[in-house]
Amino acid sequence: MASPPTIAMGVDKLSYEIFSLLESKFLFGAANGCLSSGPGTPAKAIFDGGRVRVLAIDGCGAGAEDALLAAAALARLEAKLREQAEDPDARVADFFDVAAGSAAGGVLAVMLFLRGPDGRPRYSAQEALAFVAGSVGKKDWGSRRGRWAKVFRGSRKGDATFQRVFGDATLRDTVAPLLVPCYDLATAAPFVFSRADAVESDTFDFRLRDVCAATCASGGAVASVKSVDGLTAIAAASGGAAAMGNPAAAAITHVLHNKQEFPLATGVEDILVLSIGTGASASVSCGSNAPMPTRTPSPRDLARVTAEGVADMVDESVAMAFGPACGSNYVRIQGGKGPAPLHAETVAAAAGAMLAQRNVESVLFRGRRLSERTNAEKVDALAAELVKEQERRRRSPLPNVAIKQLATPRLSSATTASSGTTTARTASSMPSPASWDSRR
């Protein structure tokens, strides 16, 4: 079996490199109220093409509620982007340079960055939200018989769902760099599916339906996936339960070390990050007035609590690394427990309630405090920043992002035009939620 790419390394080594990098920037690079890369960036000063825009979506659980906040936030963001950019067909992927997502967040990231036959992002954020909402069915969100739960248990119906949504598209069939982690049981280490690696070799190019199955495998399920040439095999467990339940730090590290695609990104001041967390665990958490649970937590409950703790630690470390720029260069959206009971009929209300929540955020030298803005207000403010970044990039004589292209494009059933071809925008060919429901 071929060895995994460089980015897929052991948990300890990966954590050490990430936090050593962030710590060094924090301790020795602070200047003028922001983490600065120092005097060695004249090109950045002269050719200001804006910040590299990163989207990171957590994946701490296997329930549809875990994807609801992210899907609702992205749908709201896309609506605001269309309004402020005065472009009715704008997509989330148009305003981000790299996306990372694990478990439920990985599915959303893949959907939004999948390239359609016309060269444009195939699915809108509203369609991704409809996919999540349509997966609930008529039963409770916690039901083990729902389609979303079957997806995360590696069932045949789950595989059929990914087949229907992604077809035979591979990592190369995305409009921008994509990172999706899982845990490889064969090597006992994280493995990151990366478009950058896929472009270099078929050995690291995987079908997107397999990527989603790998990052979603939970509850004891193991997804055995192979690269398109069959030379790399992964025995995958959920990326949400691994060290990268929150992939924000991995995405930042990828940008800072990938000089071929991001040549002008020298520090966190050159990056704009939107990190979206999931809702609090409904099975193990309770409100201040709710009775404490009396049953012993199951291994699944404990694994989820551990994953959520790791995600919070990553969020706090990244927020500290951004320092005073946190809130402008680093935006974190985190939801709590949604209103109960949660049924298909209450999806919209649950999404609205989580967007109206204020999350706890890390503040440099002040610990953690309740955010002054709601999740919805953060989304609206970020939309304005992303539109400004887009305009700044259009005026720059030197691009700060140069996405790798295939030397000899290998066309798949999902692609009829190379990634470098600009085509007219057309409507998405995604099946409607009604058609999904009819195929259960």
Side-chain angles (χ1 to χ4, degrees), residues 259-342:
K259 294 304 180 184
Q260 180 175 347
E261 293 187 307
F262 309 105
L264 299 183
T266 59
V268 293
E269 71 276 9
D270 300 323
I271 305 175
L272 172 61
V273 180
L274 169 61
S275 177
I276 306 179
T278 59
S281 174
S283 59
V284 295
S285 64
C286 56
S288 58
N289 298 324
M292 293 296 293
T294 57
R295 69 177 178 86
T296 301
S298 67
R300 182 178 180 181
D301 292 337
L302 294 176
R304 174 162 182 161
V305 170
T306 301
E308 289 176 348
V310 172
D312 287 341
M313 290 174 61
V314 172
D315 167 47
E316 185 170 2
S317 299
V318 173
M320 293 302 162
F322 276 86
C326 185
S328 57
N329 279 32
Y330 177 71
V331 179
R332 174 70 171 177
I333 294 175
Q334 177 78 50
K337 184 177 179 181
L342 293 175

